[in-house]
C-alpha cells in the first residue's frame, strides 16, 4: 500500500499557522482517514484534534508524525471541506480560523463515543430478520431508532450491568447503526428562539393565492431546481409584494426534489418571525442555526443537520455553513444588509460564500430585497444572474402615503422637539383609531454626547476616539465601541459647570412620546432593552398580538418585520447615515428609509410614513419617499462609474493597528512602499488614519486598494504581506487586518 499523508487543520487549540499541518497516515488507518475526517494528532507536548482537508501521496520535505486515531470518519461533508480551504485563501485567513467559522467551537472538541442510528425504510426487512433471530436486539434497536443517536454512557445507563456491545456490533455489521464520537454537552433546545413550538398566532396557516408575478418567479426557480445545475436569482420586490411566499414555494420545491435548503435573514431579531412561518409550512423539518445559541444547543443543531434529521436551516450569516449533504437551495433575504458581512477573521460575506457553495454543490441561490445592493442589481442587469421582479404589493394594497417633514422649518419656527408637530398629531390620531405605529431612530441611548455649557468639555472614552453616549435610565456615560462606562457626573469634571445632553437617542424619544401621549403603551427595542436572551421575543410577540401601541427602536424594527396593525411609521432623523465618509452612505440611507417605510400598510389598509429630515431634497430621501429604486439605481450607478467604485472595481483594505502610534504610522508607510508600482492595474489610496483612529486602545491606519478585478488585488496583497513579515522586526508590534470585501468604515 503506498504511503499517504494528510493535511490537517487543528480545531481544538488556538492555532494561527498560515498552513495546515502535515501528518503521516498509518497503514492501519488508511481507508478510514479521508477529507473531512476528524482525527487525533500529536503536537509538541500534547495531543489535539483536527480535520483532514486534503490527502497527498508525495513525500513532504520534512519528517512527519503519525495520526493517532480517527475520531469521526467524515465530520465535514466534502463541499464544506473544500470551503474551508477556499475561505482561508479568499480572505487571507489562517486555515484554523476558517475551520472555526465552519464548525461551531463545541463540535469536535468535547467528544465521547456513541452510536448513530442509520436505518431508514429500506433496512426494515433486515432489522426484522435480525430481531427475529436475536429477540434481545429489539430493545436497543428501538431505543436508537427513537433517539437517532445516543452516547455510549447513556446506553450503559439504560441497560446497567448488561453486555450489549455484541448487539451494537451486530447492528453496525449490517449497516443499521454506526459508532461515532459526539459532543458530550449537546442538548436539545427548549426555548422559543429554537422554535420547538412557535406561537401559532405568528404563523400563517392559510396559503395565499399567488399573483401573476409570483407565479412567474416560482416557475423559473422550480425549473432551475429541477435541472440540478444551480443558478443565481435576484428577486427584486417592493415591500409587501410577497417575497416570503416565493421563498416558501422555493423551499417546498427543493424538498420535493429530495434536496435541503438554507434560509438566511440578516438579524437575529428576524429569526422568530421567519421561524414561525417556516414551521407552519414545514413543521419539524426546520432547524435554527446561528451563533447566539448556547454552545450545547448549537452543537445539537449542527449534529441534527449533519445527520439529515432536518431539511431546512434558518439563521443569520453563520447558517451558511450548515453541514447539509444534499443542499439544493440557499435563500438570502434582505440581501442588501451589511449584517451579512463578518467583521472578524475570516472576513467573509455570506453572499460570496453562498455563491461558492452553489458552484460546489450545484445549488440554486435566491437573493431577495426591495432595495438590492448596486452590485447585485448591476450583475442581474449584466446577465450574470436572473432578475425576478415583484412590482406590486399583494392583495391589491397600495404603497403607503409618504410625508417628508423639513426639520429646518420646524426649528426656524422655534419648535425644538425631536418629533415634529405633524408626526405627534399623526401618532395621536393613529392610537385613537386603534392602530399601531413604529418609530425608527438608529441611535440608542438618551443623547449621543454631552457638553459643558461653560467650558465646552465633552467627556470622551479613555480607550476610543469617540465621545461617550449618555444613557439616562442607567445613569451613566457609555462607549458603544468598547463598552467602557462611567457614572453620570452631575457637574463638569473640568470646571464644575452644567453638562448638557446634545442630540437625540431612543431613550430621549421615548421620554418625549410619554409626555406627549401619556396613555400610550410604548415598547422600546434597541441593544439596551434586548440584551437578555428572550427579551426581543417578548417585545415582538406582544406587538404582533396588537397589545402595544408604539414600537420604538433602532435597526431591529426597520427591516423584514410584518405587523398587520401598523398604519403609521415615523422616521425620526433620516440623515444619520447620509453624510458618513463612505461611498455607500447614500445607498445605505436609501435602503434603510425604504425598508422602514415598508413596515406600514402591509394588509391593504391605509397607511402613512412620515420622514423627518434636514435635507429633504437629497436624492436618497426624495426617491426613498416614492420607493423608486430603479431611478435611484440609475443615478447612483452613474456616480459609481465616474468614480470607479464597485460594481466597476474591486476594493481591498489593509488595516494597521498597534498600541504605539509611531509604530503604526511607520508600518503603514512601509506597506505603502511595498505595494507602490507592483501592479499597474492596482491603485493605492493612503496610507491614512482610519475614520475611527483609536479603538479599544489601538491606534489605527489603513490603505485601500482598488483594481478592476480581484486577481491583481490578490497578487499585490500576498506580495506585500509576505514581504512585510521580513521587515516587521524593525518596526515594532503591529497587527495587520486584511479585508478583501470592505463594506463600510473601519
Amino acid at each position: 500500500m503506498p504511503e499517504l499523508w494528510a493535511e490537517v487543520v487543528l480545531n481544538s487549540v488556538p492555532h494561527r499557522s498560515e498552513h495546515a499541518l502535515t501528518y503521516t497516515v498509518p497503514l492501519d488507518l488508511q481507508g478510514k482517514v479521508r477529507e473531512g475526517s476528524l482525527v487525533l494528532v500529536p503536537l509538541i507536548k500534547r495531543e489535539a484534534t483536527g480535520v483532514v482537508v486534503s490527502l497527498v501521496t508525495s513525500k513532504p520535505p520534512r519528517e512527519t508524525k503519525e495520526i493517532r486515531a480517527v475520531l469521526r470518519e467524515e465530520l465535514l461533508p466534502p463541499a464544506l471541506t473544500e470551503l474551508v480551504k477556499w475561505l482561508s485563501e479568499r480572505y487571507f485567513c489562517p486555515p484554523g480560523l476558517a475551520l472555526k467559522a465552519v464548525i461551531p467551537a463545541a463540535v469536535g472538541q468535547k467528544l465521547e463515543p456513541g452510536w448513530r442510528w442509520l436505518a431508514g425504510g429500506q433496512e426494515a426487512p433486515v432489522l426484522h430478520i435480525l430481531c427475529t433471530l436475536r429477540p434481545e436486539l429489539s430493545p436497543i434497536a428501538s431505543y436508537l431508532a427513537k433517539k437517532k443517536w445516543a452516547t455510549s454512557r447513556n446506553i450503559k445507563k439504560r441497560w446497567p450491568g448488561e453486555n450489549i456491545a455484541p448487539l451494537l456490533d451486530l447492528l453496525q455489521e449490517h449497516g443499521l447503526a454506526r459508532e461515532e464520537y459526539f459532543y458530550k454537552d449537546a442538548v436539545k433546545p427548549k426555548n422559543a428562539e429554537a422554535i420547538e413550538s412557535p406561537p401559532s398566532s405568528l404563523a400563517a396557516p392559510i396559503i395565499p393565492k399567488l399573483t401573476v408575478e409570483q407565479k412567474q418567479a416560482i416557475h423559473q426557480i422550480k425549473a432551475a431546481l429541477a435541472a440540478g445545475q444551480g443558478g443565481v436569482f435576484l428577486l427584486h420586490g417592493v415591500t409587501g409584494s410577497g417575497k416570503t411566499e416565493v421563498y416558501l414555494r422555493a423551499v417546498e420545491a427543493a424538498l420535493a426534489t429530495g434536496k435541503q435548503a438554507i434560509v438566511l435573514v440578516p438579524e437575529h431579531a428576524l429569526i422568530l418571525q421567519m421561524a414561525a412561518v417556516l414551521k407552519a409550512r414545514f413543521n419539524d423539518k426546520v432547524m435554527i442555526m446561528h451563533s447566539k445559541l448556547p454552545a450545547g444547543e448549537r452543537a445539537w443543531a449542527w449534529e441534527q443537520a449533519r445527520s439529515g434529521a432536518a431539511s431546512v436551516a434558518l439563521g443569520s450569516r453563520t447558517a451558511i455553513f450548515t453541514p447539509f449533504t444534499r443542499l439544493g437551495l440557499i435563500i438570502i433575504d434582505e440581501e442588501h444588509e451589511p449584517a451579512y458581512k463578518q467583521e472578524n477573521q475570516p472576513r467573509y460575506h455570506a453572499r460570496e460564500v453562498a455563491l461558492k457553495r452553489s458552484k460546489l454543490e450545484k445549488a440554486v441561490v435566491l437573493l431577495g430585497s426591495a432595495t438590492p445592493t448596486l452590485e447585485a442589481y448591476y450583475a442581474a442587469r449584466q446577465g450574470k444572474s436572473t432578475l425576478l421582479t415583484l412590482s406590486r404589493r399583494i392583495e391589491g394594497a397600495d404603497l403607503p402615503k409618504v410625508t417628508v417633514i423639513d426639520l429646518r422649518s420646524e426649528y426656524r419656527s422655534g419648535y425644538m422637539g425631536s418629533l415634529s408637530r405633524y408626526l405627534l398629531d399623526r401618532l395621536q390620531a393613529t392610537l385613537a383609531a386603534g392602530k399601531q405605529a413604529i418609530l425608527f431612530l438608529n441611535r440608542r441611548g438618551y443623547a449621543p454626547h454631552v457638553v459643558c455649557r461653560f467650558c465646552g468639555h465633552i467627556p470622551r472614552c479613555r480607550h476610543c476616539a469617540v465621545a461617550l453616549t449618555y444613557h439616562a435610565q442607567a445613569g451613566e456615560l457609555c462607549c458603544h465601541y468598547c463598552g467602557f462606562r462611567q457614572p453620570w457626573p452631575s457637574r463638569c469634571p473640568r470646571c464644575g459647570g452644567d453638562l448638557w445632553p446634545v442630540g437625540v437617542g431612543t431613550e430621549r424619544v421615548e421620554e418625549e412620546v410619554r409626555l406627549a401621549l401619556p396613555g400610550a403603551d410604548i415598547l422600546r427595542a434597541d441593544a439596551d432593552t434586548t440584551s437578555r436572551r428572550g427579551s426581543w421575543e417578548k417585545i415582538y410577540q406582544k406587538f404582533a398580538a396588537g397589545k402595544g401601541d408604539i414600537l420604538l427602536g433602532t435597526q431591529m424594527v426597520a427591516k423584514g418585520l410584518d405587523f398587520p396593525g401598523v398604519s403609521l411609521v415615523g422616521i425620526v432623523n433620516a440623515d444619520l447615515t447620509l453624510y458618513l465618509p463612505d461611498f455607500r452612505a447614500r445607498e445605505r440611507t436609501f435602503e434603510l428609509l425604504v425598508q422602514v417605510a415598508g413596515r406600514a400598510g402591509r394588509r391593504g389598509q391605509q397607511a402613512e410614513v412620515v420622514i423627518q429630515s434636514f435635507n429633504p431634497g437629497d436624492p436618497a430621501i426624495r426617491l426613498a419617499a416614492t420607493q423608486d429604486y430603479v431611478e435611484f439605481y440609475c443615478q447612483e450607478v452613474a456616480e459609481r462609474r465616474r468614480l470607479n467604485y464597485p460594481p466597476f472595481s474591486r476594493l481591498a483594505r489593509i488595516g494597521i493597528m498597534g498600541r504605539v502610534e509611531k509604530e503604526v504610522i511607520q508600518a503603514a508607510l512601509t506597506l505603502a512602499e511595498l505595494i507602490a508600482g507592483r501592479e499597474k492595474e492596482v491603485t493605492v489610496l493612503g496610507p491614512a488614519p482610519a475614520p475611527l483612529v483609536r479603538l479599544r486602545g489601538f491606534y489605527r491606519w489603513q490603505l485601500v486598494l482598488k483594481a478592476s478585478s480581484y486577481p491583481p488585488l490578490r497578487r499585490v496583497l500576498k506580495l506585500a504581506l509576505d514581504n512585510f513579515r521580513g521587515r516587521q522586526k524593525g518596526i515594532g508590534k503591529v497587527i495587520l487586518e486584511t479585508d478583501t470585501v470592505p463594506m463600510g468604515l473601519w
Side-chain angles (χ1 to χ4, degrees):
M1 188 174 291
E3 289 186 282
L4 193 64
W5 290 268
E7 301 290 333
V8 178
V9 176
L10 303 185
N11 73 325
S12 58
V13 293
H15 191 73
R16 300 184 66 89
S17 171
E18 296 298 320
H19 306 284
L21 304 182
T22 304
Y23 288 90
T24 302
V25 181
L27 290 177
D28 61 321
L29 294 184
Q30 290 191 21
K32 292 183 177 181
V33 175
R34 61 190 72 176
E35 290 188 5
S37 293
L38 180 69
V39 295
L40 186 69
V41 296
L43 292 178
I44 297 175
K45 295 182 179 179
R46 53 179 164 167
E47 292 180 329
T49 59
V51 174
V52 176
V53 293
S54 60
L55 295 171
V56 295
T57 54
S58 55
K59 188 174 182 179
R62 299 178 181 177
E63 281 193 35
T64 55
K65 297 180 180 179
E66 289 189 344
I67 292 174
R68 295 280 169 83
V70 179
L71 303 179
R72 289 178 69 170
E73 289 188 22
E74 192 177 306
L75 177 70
L76 278 186
L80 286 189
T81 306
E82 192 66 31
L83 199 63
V84 169
K85 294 185 282 187
W86 177 82
L87 283 169
S88 178
E89 181 180 346
R90 173 70 178 86
Y91 299 110
F92 286 85
C93 168
L97 292 180
L99 183 66
K100 185 179 177 182
V102 174
I103 302 180
V107 174
Q109 294 186 29
K110 297 181 179 179
L111 295 163
E112 65 173 294
W115 290 82
R116 182 183 299 284
W117 185 247
L118 302 177
Q122 297 178 350
E123 298 86 353
V126 176
L127 181 61
H128 177 73
I129 294 171
L130 284 175
C131 290
T132 301
L133 297 173
R134 301 283 297 272
E136 67 273 25
L137 190 66
S138 184
I140 182 63
S142 299
Y143 175 78
L144 285 177
K146 182 179 178 181
K147 292 284 188 181
K148 304 301 182 187
W149 61 271
T151 63
S152 299
R153 179 181 53 177
N154 287 339
I155 293 174
K156 289 177 182 178
K157 286 182 180 179
R158 185 75 171 75
W159 287 276
E162 297 185 33
N163 183 19
I164 58 171
L167 301 179
L168 292 168
D169 290 340
L170 187 61
L171 289 174
Q172 181 165 253
E173 182 182 334
H174 287 83
L176 301 171
R178 181 174 64 217
E179 187 176 20
E180 291 185 359
Y181 283 79
F182 299 97
Y183 175 61
K184 68 180 181 181
D185 294 330
V187 293
K188 188 175 182 179
K190 298 179 181 179
N191 52 76
E193 189 179 37
I195 60 166
E196 285 297 294
S197 54
S200 58
S201 61
L202 301 182
I206 300 174
I207 299 178
K209 184 179 179 180
L210 297 175
T211 65
V212 173
E213 290 180 325
Q214 284 176 316
K215 288 179 182 177
Q216 292 172 345
I218 292 165
H219 174 74
Q220 293 188 63
I221 296 166
K222 281 185 174 180
L225 287 167
Q229 296 302 309
V232 182
F233 294 88
L234 174 61
L235 181 62
H236 175 215
V238 299
T239 55
S241 60
K243 292 186 291 294
T244 299
E245 185 59 33
V246 175
Y247 300 156
L248 294 173
R249 300 293 179 102
V251 171
E252 190 175 60
L255 299 185
T257 63
K259 297 292 186 178
Q260 297 160 315
I262 295 173
V263 180
L264 301 186
V265 293
E267 302 279 356
H268 293 97
L270 297 176
I271 289 177
L272 185 64
Q273 175 178 281
M274 184 63 80
V277 174
L278 287 169
K279 189 74 171 178
R281 195 70 65 91
F282 304 111
N283 202 7
D284 58 357
K285 295 178 181 178
V286 182
M287 178 64 58
I288 294 293
M289 292 286 291
H290 66 80
S291 59
K292 288 192 176 181
L293 286 175
E297 293 182 15
R298 194 176 177 203
W300 180 86
W302 200 89
E303 294 284 3
Q304 291 291 98
R306 180 69 186 88
S307 68
S311 301
V312 182
L314 168 65
S316 48
R317 62 175 176 265
T318 54
I320 192 61
F321 302 115
T322 301
F324 282 149
T325 56
R326 295 176 284 106
L327 182 63
L329 175 67
I330 302 172
I331 294 173
I332 303 183
D333 188 26
E334 312 291 6
E335 70 83 26
H336 63 275
E337 282 293 334
Y340 285 121
K341 171 66 192 306
Q342 170 71 22
E343 294 301 337
N344 298 320
Q345 281 191 320
R347 295 177 179 85
Y348 66 87
H349 196 294
R351 183 176 58 239
E352 280 196 349
V353 179
L355 296 177
K356 181 62 178 180
R357 283 200 76 171
S358 169
K359 291 179 181 178
L360 291 172
E361 304 181 62
K362 296 183 178 179
V364 171
V365 175
L366 176 56
L367 311 172
S369 176
T371 55
T373 57
L374 261 69
E375 291 90 335
Y377 198 76
Y378 179 80
R381 298 265 293 237
Q382 296 296 307
K384 295 179 181 178
S385 60
T386 303
L387 180 62
L388 309 172
T389 303
L390 304 178
S391 60
R392 294 182 177 275
R393 284 190 159 189
I394 57 175
E395 301 176 4
D398 293 325
L399 291 171
K401 170 190 173 184
V402 178
T403 303
V404 179
I405 302 298
D406 188 342
L407 291 178
R408 296 171 299 183
S409 299
E410 291 284 305
Y411 287 156
R412 279 197 294 263
S413 69
Y415 181 77
M416 304 299 291
S418 58
L419 300 187
S420 63
R421 287 164 291 193
Y422 181 83
L423 180 52
L424 283 174
D425 287 344
R426 298 308 304 146
L427 277 172
Q428 193 168 20
T430 299
L431 270 56
K435 299 296 184 179
Q436 294 174 298
I438 290 177
L439 292 177
F440 168 73
L441 176 63
N442 200 25
R443 182 174 279 167
R444 64 188 175 100
Y446 188 87
H449 68 277
V450 296
V451 61
C452 175
R453 293 197 288 182
F454 289 88
C455 71
H457 172 67
I458 297 175
R460 295 183 175 274
C461 176
R462 64 177 62 169
H463 308 294
C464 308
V466 295
L468 294 172
T469 299
Y470 175 39
H471 288 253
Q473 292 186 2
E476 60 187 14
L477 297 174
C478 175
C479 175
H480 288 175
Y481 290 92
C482 72
F484 170 75
R485 297 171 185 269
Q486 68 179 45
W488 165 253
S490 56
R491 313 293 292 179
C492 173
R494 180 180 291 175
C495 74
D498 294 333
L499 291 174
W500 185 257
V502 178
V504 179
T506 49
E507 280 188 20
R508 191 165 186 168
V509 173
E510 180 183 14
E511 180 182 272
E512 289 187 24
V513 176
R514 290 194 186 281
L515 289 172
L517 304 170
D521 185 0
I522 304 170
L523 305 173
R524 179 160 60 90
D526 55 28
D528 299 315
T529 61
T530 61
S531 57
R532 290 188 178 183
R533 193 177 182 200
S535 53
W536 162 247
E537 285 74 14
K538 291 178 182 177
I539 294 171
Y540 173 87
Q541 291 171 19
K542 181 178 178 179
F543 197 71
K547 296 179 182 178
D549 296 322
I550 300 172
L551 178 62
L552 163 65
T554 51
Q555 285 199 56
M556 62 177 58
V557 308
K559 45 208 169 189
L561 298 174
D562 188 354
F563 297 120
V566 174
S567 63
L568 176 68
V569 167
I571 300 171
V572 178
N573 188 342
D575 307 329
L576 287 180
T577 58
L578 190 55
Y579 296 113
L580 293 175
D582 181 357
F583 73 92
R584 290 189 175 94
R586 180 166 279 136
E587 180 186 10
R588 293 274 167 78
T589 300
F590 176 84
E591 291 169 352
L592 200 52
L593 296 182
V594 171
Q595 292 294 331
V596 179
R599 301 315 105 208
R602 297 178 66 89
R603 291 295 184 274
Q605 63 177 316
Q606 290 185 340
E608 183 175 4
V609 177
V610 179
I611 299 176
Q612 300 186 159
S613 171
F614 289 97
N615 303 277
D618 189 276
I621 294 171
R622 178 171 49 82
L623 295 172
T626 58
Q627 293 207 24
D628 192 345
Y629 175 83
V630 174
E631 177 59 27
F632 176 80
Y633 166 82
C634 291
Q635 290 190 22
E636 191 68 9
V637 85
E639 184 72 1
R640 297 275 186 93
R641 189 191 301 271
R642 185 179 71 83
L643 297 173
N644 193 31
Y645 276 118
F648 304 102
S649 64
R650 296 295 299 266
L651 300 180
R653 176 172 56 216
I654 303 177
I656 306 102
M657 303 192 314
R659 299 283 186 183
V660 181
E661 188 175 17
K662 287 183 179 180
E663 293 178 353
V664 172
I665 295 172
Q666 182 58 50
L669 294 172
T670 300
L671 271 170
E673 179 188 334
L674 291 170
I675 292 171
R678 295 292 183 179
E679 290 271 354
K680 292 182 180 179
E681 297 179 55
V682 178
T683 302
V684 181
L685 307 177
L692 191 57
V693 71
R694 190 163 178 261
L695 180 68
R696 301 183 183 93
F698 285 88
Y699 291 94
R700 294 147 43 99
W701 277 55
Q702 64 178 357
L703 291 96
V704 176
L705 281 63
K706 184 192 294 186
S708 58
S709 60
Y710 179 66
L713 273 184
R714 174 167 179 77
R715 289 194 297 269
V716 168
L717 285 170
K718 190 173 187 314
L719 182 66
L721 296 176
D722 288 346
N723 290 342
F724 180 77
R725 291 188 187 97
R727 300 195 190 184
Q728 191 168 0
K729 289 182 180 179
I731 295 172
K733 262 186 137 178
V734 295
I735 300 169
L736 301 186
E737 291 194 355
T738 306
D739 191 344
T740 57
V741 197
M743 296 297 295
L745 302 178
W746 181 69

